[in-house]
Amino acid sequence: MLESLRENLRNAINKLVGASSVDEETVTSFVRDIQRALIQADVNVKLVLDISERVKRRALEEKPPPGISRKDQIVKILYEELSLMLGQESKLELKRDKTNIIMMVGIQGSGKTSTVAKLARYLLKKNQKVGVIAADTFRPGAVTQLRTLCESFGIEVYYSESEKNPVKICIEGKKYFEGKKDVVIIDTAGRHKEEKGLLEEMESIAREVKPDVNILVVDGTIGQQCYSQALAFHQVYPVGGIIVTKLDGASKGGGALAAVAATGAKILFITNGERIDDIEEFSPTRFVGRLLGLGDIKALLEMVKQAEVEVDEKRVKRIIGGKMTMNDLLYQLEQTKKLGSLRKIVEHLPGISGMVKGEDLEKLEERISVYRSIIQSMTKEERENPEMINSSRIKRIALGSGRNDKDVRELLTRYKQMKTFVKMNRSRELRQMLRRMGSGVNE
Ligand SMILES: Nc1nc2c(ncn2[C@@H]2O[C@H](COP(=O)(O)OP(=O)(O)O)[C@@H](O)[C@H]2O)c(=O)[nH]1
Ligand SMILES: [Mg+2]
């Protein structure tokens, strides 16, 4: 979905991450890349300028919390601003103990009929009793299309062979389903292409049927034109929510979503394919997270918080100074594990993913508990100066901890590796890595 936008945004981020330092020039060039990506996705120019100005200002002004690099901070800012651009989190709200009527409107070809079936199936899977009313009497084959889509999934369709007046069909259909279903979705015609006739038909159905929710379906491939379409509908009868369709093939999909959000309407769902299950609830944060490859903001914030809490300057000075103890090693391994448990969700967060790569996390967890018991069997001296541990000490420690010699040697090897690594890399990067792991100092 939105492949080229995703690729362009990710390229911009990679460029930022690869930059040797973050100065004003880096930020400016990053923001320019973002602008280009958004314009290409048909996001309205004014929106693009707004968002890039905010990203730039925040990127230059806001100080990252301890443990978070400026680069990560800038990515987080972009994430927040793009999410804001796509509107508030909102959900389709259904009332209990009544038959909710959803009226689905939109111009012909926008994807109404397909979306009626998708939404019906979606609600069915949530254990709602769902009925559908076929009120498109204009297009030949419309009723058959809807029945084919719905009935194979056990969704009942109300239709009439003889009645040509959509308002009457809706009234009859409502009577038919009333009290029997939790939700009834009305598929309307939309033949008139934004013209008065279509809007009038929508209004007269609405007046008679009094839908609980009026959902507008817009075609995501038309990009920012969605803005005027959404406004036109809203002015005639209040739109309670919007579904943006065809995002699977829409190079202008980003512009469509931004335009719809700019009208103040709620985007409830998006569809991204022709199969009945190609529909999903829309959440701006989740969507942007996926777009940028960041995963869930909650995890990100959790990590920021963790980094804020666990700064231990003494420890990092000790490690970098080459005087690492066994406890330091254990601490570092535990931090790796903690970050690792967030790995899935922060998979593409620049800088983080590489760090935990290669370590089998479940195995690490088990090894840490082995190491902990071994370290507990060491004397204070041994912990602080592991070099003194010879083979007779290894035997004693193994015995005392109920582990075998091999485990103790493995721990010692790890210690040596870590120490060599520190020696070889007494650099910015190491400081940065340690800081990310919660034992760093501020830059
Ligand atoms: N690729 C893709 N095609 C879609 C999607 N939603 C609808 N379509 C196609 O768009 C065309 C018009 O859809 P239809 O539901 O008949 O639109 P309506 O005239 O508004 O009822 C059909 O060929 C659908 O298969 C989608 O999410 N992705
Ligand atoms: Mg239709």
Side-chain angles (χ1 to χ4, degrees), residues 175-373:
K175 261 193 225 148
Y176 176 79
F177 284 130
E178 193 94 68
K180 274 194 262 180
K181 303 284 184 195
D182 302 312
V183 190
V184 172
I185 310 174
I186 302 173
D187 184 30
T188 62
R191 64 189 180 274
H192 313 271
K193 288 249 177 199
E194 275 188 287
E195 282 163 20
K196 255 176 76 191
L198 164 64
L199 296 169
E200 275 167 17
E201 180 177 304
M202 171 179 97
E203 206 200 351
S204 47
I205 294 178
R207 212 180 317 115
E208 291 298 327
V209 179
K210 300 194 179 51
D212 300 277
V213 191
N214 182 30
I215 293 182
L216 173 65
V217 175
V218 293
D219 180 340
T221 60
I222 67 172
Q224 59 176 296
Q225 282 176 42
C226 287
Y227 185 82
S228 48
Q229 211 178 87
L231 279 188
F233 274 88
H234 190 73
Q235 272 157 14
V236 175
Y237 191 83
V239 170
I242 292 193
I243 298 181
V244 182
T245 63
K246 307 185 197 178
L247 287 181
D248 47 323
S251 60
K252 296 179 172 181
L257 291 169
V260 169
T263 66
K266 301 178 208 159
I267 303 174
L268 298 175
F269 293 90
I270 54 180
T271 77
N272 45 28
E274 300 200 62
R275 291 172 310 126
I276 191 136
D277 289 322
D278 292 332
I279 183 168
E280 60 179 88
E281 265 189 337
F282 181 73
S283 147
T285 49
R286 216 171 345 116
F287 187 80
V288 173
R290 245 167 44 203
L291 205 58
L292 301 184
L294 288 178
D296 189 351
I297 182 67
K298 275 192 207 124
L300 185 65
L301 295 179
E302 197 178 307
M303 197 176 62
V304 170
K305 220 168 77 198
Q306 184 187 309
E308 278 172 337
V309 176
E310 303 193 45
V311 173
D312 183 346
E313 287 198 29
K314 258 197 228 143
R315 195 188 294 273
V316 79
K317 280 197 184 126
R318 194 164 57 223
I319 295 175
I320 289 184
K323 293 199 198 83
M324 190 173 70
T325 67
M326 272 295 169
N327 285 335
D328 292 332
L329 175 67
L330 195 60
Y331 180 84
Q332 290 303 335
L333 290 173
E334 270 168 354
Q335 292 302 311
T336 308
K337 191 189 78 191
K338 263 199 218 164
L339 282 179
S341 61
L342 297 173
R343 176 170 61 168
K344 258 203 222 100
I345 8 199
V346 294
E347 208 147 45
H348 299 282
L349 191 67
I352 298 283
S353 54
M355 203 182 64
V356 284
K357 220 186 285 164
E359 186 72 76
D360 182 337
L361 290 163
E362 257 153 57
K363 228 170 100 200
L364 180 63
E365 179 142 16
E366 179 219 305
R367 292 323 286 165
I368 286 176
S369 76
V370 172
Y371 298 156
R372 193 179 295 113
S373 66

